[in-house]
Amino acid sequence: MNLLLLEEADFIAADRVVLRDRRLTHMQEVHRCEVGDSMRVGRIGGLMGTAEVVRLEAGEAELVVRLDLPPPAKLPLTLVLALPRPKMLRRVFQTVATMGVPKLILVNSYRVEKSFWQTPFLEPEAIREQLILGLEQARDSVLPEVVIEKRFKPFVEDRLPAISEGTLGLVGHPGNHPSCPRGLAEPVTLAIGPEGGWIPYEIELLGKSGLQPVQLGERILRVETAVTALLARLF
């Protein structure tokens, strides 16, 4: 935990919070905090800064906070991602938050198993939990927006064109395609498929919505690896 994130419910005054959950445990067992120690903090959805521990007991800690720093800038990116398998999904949420993606759209694909959509990891609280872990790692306080689109064709035909308008539209896809560009400053809409890639029909529909295939080489990457590699290369 590189940043202690504060919820609205933590505040007992404008500049004072009380913590009683896993964050307290982390303070005690990892940071080994004592009264008078200072920590990096951020208000979820708001400013970042520092906090001083003014009271520390077995069951709770009280901190005085000073929030005067803006969170880091997000990437100029909308990420469209075919729903990964559940055991990978939590890591993807953390990666997206850590790398500064402002908006993630999870979509269906021919190669996405129907059972994946039944995972409890798609519950709003479960998503938020993983996003917060990613923000803590990156020292960021603003949660990414996560949108779930279970019907591929209506989403790509009816909503994706407006999303990708005015951006560079790309599809990460193995094959004989141009290499993924590097070091972009312009807004990007990026679609990444499931393991094994999109099927030709899906690539065609994505192309009609303004997204053109690019590749990272001959190797077939896991979804979480592809997300990290493409974002690191693009920006």
Side-chain angles (χ1 to χ4, degrees):
M1 184 186 295
N2 297 320
L3 182 73
L4 185 68
L5 284 173
L6 306 174
E7 304 273 3
E8 292 301 318
D10 299 328
F11 284 83
I12 59 172
D15 65 344
R16 196 171 290 253
V17 298
V18 171
L19 304 180
R20 301 184 179 91
D21 55 15
R22 71 173 182 89
R23 295 165 296 174
L24 172 62
T25 302
H26 191 87
M27 289 170 57
Q28 294 170 324
E29 298 181 358
V30 178
H31 290 286
R32 301 189 182 278
C33 285
E34 298 179 355
V35 172
D37 285 353
S38 180
M39 303 188 65
R40 294 186 182 92
V41 297
R43 190 171 193 155
I44 293 180
L47 295 174
M48 300 164 50
T50 58
E52 179 185 348
V53 181
V54 295
R55 180 169 59 86
L56 185 60
E57 302 173 0
E60 66 180 32
E62 186 173 341
L63 298 85
V64 173
V65 301
R66 179 182 179 184
L67 303 174
D68 54 4
L69 298 173
K74 299 289 190 184
L75 298 176
L77 173 73
T78 297
L79 177 60
V80 179
L81 183 67
L83 182 68
R85 63 185 65 250
K87 68 178 182 180
M88 190 179 296
L89 182 59
R90 290 179 296 176
R91 297 195 297 270
V92 168
F93 283 138
Q94 292 186 34
T95 297
V96 164
T98 297
M99 298 195 73
V101 175
K103 184 172 184 177
L104 169 66
I105 304 174
L106 293 172
V107 301
N108 200 16
S109 167
Y110 179 81
R111 292 192 170 112
V112 171
E113 296 183 22
K114 292 182 179 179
S115 62
F116 291 2
W117 292 103
Q118 307 306 315
T119 176
F121 301 146
L122 283 175
E123 294 295 326
E125 283 305 311
I127 294 174
R128 192 175 190 272
E129 177 183 358
Q130 299 307 315
L131 294 179
I132 285 177
L133 292 175
L135 293 182
E136 291 174 343
Q137 172 66 35
R139 294 182 186 166
D140 190 358
S141 60
V142 179
L143 290 161
E145 178 187 2
V146 177
V147 178
I148 295 175
E149 294 279 0
K150 293 186 178 181
R151 300 176 64 202
F152 178 84
K153 188 172 184 288
F155 165 70
V156 173
E157 289 185 335
D158 300 336
R159 292 180 286 284
L160 184 56
I163 293 170
S164 63
E165 184 178 2
T167 74
L168 177 62
L170 302 173
V171 181
H173 191 65
N176 186 23
H177 307 296
S179 295
C180 179
R182 295 178 180 268
L184 299 178
E186 63 188 294
V188 174
T189 302
L190 172 66
I192 299 177
E195 292 184 25
W198 307 99
I199 64 173
Y201 169 75
E202 292 166 343
I203 289 292
E204 180 182 357
L205 280 187
L206 290 166
K208 290 179 179 178
S209 293
L211 278 62
Q212 300 305 313
V214 295
Q215 49 86 15
L216 285 172
E218 297 179 358
R219 298 181 183 272
I220 304 299
L221 304 178
R222 291 180 177 176
V223 173
E224 60 185 316
T225 305
V227 170
T228 302
L230 283 164
L231 296 192
R233 180 158 176 152
L234 284 168
F235 302 106

